[in-house]
Amino acid sequence: MTDQATSRATSQAASPAASPEPAEDLPGPPLDLWNRIDELYAWLEDNRPVGGEQSRLLQMLKLSEEVGEVAEAVIGATGQNPRKGFSHTWEDVQGELCDVVITALVALRTLTPDTREVFTRHLARVTERSLG
């Protein structure tokens, strides 16, 4: 990562304007996760071959690619393709699911610097709706 990207990622993660409440008071995944998402976002911004709205759209499409890789891994882990047989493991599926989560969080970061707060609020709504 370039010094500029590191500086931007660090300042975004620590920016009081980006977090209405202290980070340690927010429930959910640890701050380290959000720092890593900011770092990946900054790296991606510095290395995008295209910019602007097209770049945002392509980032959203990246999710479909990653979900397709989950499907491919599940098919391979269950041996459902007679031509390929058992080509993947359930550990491969776990890794692909992690790629989906990371890609989704970076995509969310592409839309808002308040990624942690947006995700935490949404998770609280889904949890309340589902668990009561």
Side-chain angles (χ1 to χ4, degrees):
M1 183 180 305
T2 66
D3 290 333
Q4 178 186 10
T6 303
S7 174
R8 182 173 51 220
T10 303
S11 67
Q12 289 168 343
S15 170
S19 328
E21 26 185 330
E24 60 274 359
D25 292 343
L26 289 173
L31 183 57
D32 186 55
L33 168 73
W34 304 109
N35 290 338
R36 296 290 182 231
I37 295 302
D38 281 340
E39 290 170 357
L40 288 168
Y41 166 77
W43 171 82
L44 189 60
E45 283 297 300
D46 287 345
N47 292 284
R48 288 187 194 277
V50 297
E53 189 66 17
Q54 184 180 10
S55 177
R56 284 175 43 162
L57 295 173
L58 291 170
Q59 182 63 36
M60 302 310 133
L61 289 176
K62 179 72 174 157
L63 275 169
S64 293
E65 177 190 4
E66 295 298 341
V67 169
E69 291 175 10
V70 171
E72 179 182 12
V74 169
I75 290 167
T78 57
Q80 294 304 303
N81 183 336
R83 185 174 51 80
K84 293 183 180 178
F86 289 88
S87 59
H88 291 75
T89 67
W90 287 105
E91 286 181 2
D92 294 328
V93 176
Q94 291 172 13
E96 296 300 344
L97 286 169
C98 289
D99 287 348
V100 169
V101 171
I102 293 164
T103 302
L105 290 175
V106 172
L108 182 59
R109 176 61 186 86
T110 300
L111 297 178
T112 178
D114 299 327
T115 310
R116 184 175 192 207
E117 293 78 12
V118 169
F119 180 81
T120 300
R121 282 193 309 269
H122 190 77
L123 179 61
R125 285 192 301 269
V126 170
T127 303
E128 178 63 28
R129 182 179 66 223
S130 299
L131 303 178

